[in-house]
Amino acid sequence: MAWQLFRLGRWSFVHRRVVAAVWVALLAVLAVGAATLSGKTSEKFELPGIESTQAFELIEERSPQAKPDGATARVVFEAPAGRSLTEPGYSSAITAALRGLTTENVQSVTDPITGGTISEDGRVGYAAVGYSKTSNELLDSDRTALENAAHTAQDAGLHVAVGGDALTEFEIPSPR
């Protein structure tokens, strides 16, 4: 390998004007490319014609108030063994918890009891929460409302788990 590098160095020295001209030409091409190819950047990403884009367009056409790319959350309620979520004490706790989820960014909340998202034995069910903004646009009050709803149901004796992208906060790095 050392021999190959020696030969390259010797050739570059002997033909130093050609090597210098090639480097100047390369720098000139890069400078012209940088000057002419730089344009206005866009943060919008579109892929027209694919199925998911068509689905989003269809949702927006049929339900203008819907936000298909908004954040979502799932609040899972579990009753103690041998009990059911439809029992009056638990169902009223779930209703109170879901009522506490209402913030300015909440678009929809499906109650597990009326929405049919309860297991066959009635012990586990989930509420789906839809937001009008993406997860990185949500406010701290939206996340706090999720936590408070979980505490409300837990105080009534239910086991509660909260998940979904509404809890995920994306950090966009700033250019340095």
Side-chain angles (χ1 to χ4, degrees):
M1 182 61 146
W3 177 250
Q4 299 296 336
L5 290 175
F6 171 77
R7 289 181 54 200
L8 177 64
R10 186 177 59 187
W11 184 88
S12 296
F13 178 75
V14 171
H15 301 93
R16 59 186 167 267
R17 291 189 177 155
V18 172
V19 171
V22 168
W23 277 109
V24 168
L26 183 62
L27 287 174
V29 167
L30 290 174
V32 169
T36 59
L37 297 177
S38 64
K40 185 178 178 183
T41 60
S42 173
E43 292 184 11
K44 193 171 186 178
F45 181 73
E46 294 180 352
L47 292 173
I50 63 171
E51 291 177 4
S52 60
T53 302
Q54 292 170 349
F56 279 138
E57 290 170 354
L58 189 60
I59 290 170
E60 290 172 356
E61 176 186 316
R62 293 186 180 173
S63 304
Q65 77 283 2
K67 182 77 172 176
D69 56 345
T72 59
R74 295 238 173 158
V75 183
V76 181
F77 303 97
E78 180 185 25
R83 308 295 297 267
S84 173
L85 292 177
T86 57
E87 293 177 20
Y90 294 137
S91 66
S92 63
I94 291 171
T95 302
L98 297 180
R99 202 175 310 119
L101 284 175
T102 306
T103 64
E104 64 184 62
N105 295 321
V106 172
Q107 189 171 17
S108 65
V109 177
T110 58
D111 187 326
I113 296 167
T114 60
T117 56
I118 295 182
S119 63
E120 287 184 23
D121 63 357
R123 200 168 157 231
V124 178
Y126 71 89
V129 184
Y131 293 90
S132 60
K133 294 186 177 182
T134 60
S135 61
N136 59 338
E137 297 172 327
L138 291 180
L139 305 173
D140 288 334
S141 60
D142 297 316
R143 291 180 182 87
T144 303
L146 277 171
E147 293 170 9
N148 292 342
H151 292 305
T152 300
Q154 286 172 340
D155 292 344
L158 294 170
H159 297 282
V160 182
V162 180
D165 63 347
L167 296 176
T168 306
E169 192 172 350
F170 296 102
E171 203 173 296
I172 301 172
S174 60
R176 296 180 190 243

